[in-house]
Amino acid sequence: MNKELRVAAYAVCVRDEQVLLARWVAGDGTKRWTLPGGGMDHAEDPIDTVVREVDEETGYTVEPVRLLGIDSITRRYPRKLGMFADFHGLRIVYEGRITGGELRPEEGGSTDLAAWHPLAAVDELQRVELVDVGLELWRERPLLGRAAAH
């Protein structure tokens, strides 16, 4: 089994009781909303990652204002030739404040749309669990930076 580690940084951007989300397109074409953000490049600082990824996925310039926490997940994925991957994802979650730019979709990336959604309507969206984790971290601000559900 191949071990895979992915470190990524995401932003929870809330203003006027709305949260900024990007719509992720899975390999099978399934679309679900997620927090804007993504994988760190080698030797990239996590703050630089979240700034770059929010810009790529939404068109906005973001200022990280607070580290909310780190979410750690493990999954097993099928790979080519009957192999499997033992995946470990570390997701660094920041609170972000939009400071510039204009809302637009990502071109040629893993997301196809960016939009503001009312916080009260998030439960009705097709979304990845990271949205719930990020919003819980944003609301609760746990001392250890870990969502209670984990």
Side-chain angles (χ1 to χ4, degrees):
M1 188 172 315
N2 186 33
K3 293 182 180 179
E4 297 179 10
L5 173 65
R6 181 175 187 262
V7 181
Y10 297 88
V12 177
C13 301
V14 176
R15 71 176 186 199
D16 301 325
E17 294 300 308
Q18 295 186 67
V19 62
L20 178 64
L21 299 176
R23 192 169 64 181
W24 173 66
V25 182
D28 65 2
T30 304
K31 297 179 180 184
R32 293 181 288 166
W33 292 100
T34 187
L35 296 176
M40 285 177 53
D41 292 334
H42 179 75
E44 186 177 34
D45 185 277
I47 289 176
D48 295 334
T49 300
V50 76
V51 169
R52 174 180 56 78
E53 286 283 346
V54 170
D55 176 58
E56 288 175 5
E57 293 183 354
T58 71
Y60 284 128
T61 303
V62 69
E63 176 189 5
V65 295
R66 169 180 235 149
L67 174 64
L68 295 175
I70 299 175
D71 187 47
S72 178
I73 60 167
T74 56
R75 296 207 168 87
R76 186 178 147 135
Y77 290 111
R79 292 292 188 231
K80 293 179 181 177
L81 305 173
M83 301 292 289
F84 284 87
D86 180 10
F87 175 82
H88 182 194
L90 286 178
R91 304 180 304 187
I92 303 165
V93 183
Y94 294 95
E95 178 178 6
R97 178 175 44 240
I98 302 302
T99 60
E102 288 186 28
L103 184 63
R104 57 133 180 87
E106 181 177 25
E107 294 182 19
S110 60
T111 65
D112 71 345
L113 188 62
W116 291 94
H117 295 273
L119 287 169
V122 167
D123 287 346
E124 294 149 26
L125 297 173
Q126 293 291 324
R127 65 195 184 283
V128 300
E129 83 281 348
L130 179 60
V131 173
D132 298 328
V133 170
L135 287 173
E136 181 181 343
L137 290 169
W138 177 75
R139 287 181 181 114
E140 302 298 325
R141 302 181 189 268
L143 289 177
L144 293 180
R146 187 173 182 191
H150 286 64

